[in-house]
Amino acid sequence: MTVEESKGLKTGARVYWRGDAADSGVITETSWAAVTITWNNGQVASVHHGDMREIQRAPSKSYTV
């Protein structure tokens, strides 16, 4: 996503790494510089708005069980 899209994210929004539905997380905090993502695997990451290129708001790859 772009910097502007990232700055528009709200707490609770679901995001996906490279559009993979199996690799998703939730925005748990936002600031003027970054967002904090709590990933489904338990990892927590603070990602600057300019570094969100590989993160998407909607899945583009389906998840198969």
Side-chain angles (χ1 to χ4, degrees):
M1 75 178 57
T2 67
V3 171
E4 291 306 315
E5 289 171 329
S6 176
K7 287 182 178 181
L9 289 170
K10 304 289 184 208
T11 301
R14 181 154 297 279
V15 293
Y16 302 88
W17 177 257
R18 294 184 176 172
D20 188 349
D23 198 358
S24 66
V26 175
I27 303 296
T28 54
E29 194 174 327
T30 62
S31 74
W32 65 273
V35 296
T36 300
I37 304 170
T38 299
W39 295 101
N40 286 351
N41 66 5
Q43 297 293 317
V44 177
S46 180
V47 184
H48 287 102
H49 294 299
D51 294 332
M52 297 280 285
R53 290 176 301 279
E54 298 192 64
I55 298 173
Q56 299 175 356
R57 289 192 70 163
S60 58
K61 299 176 187 173
S62 62
Y63 177 66
T64 305
V65 178

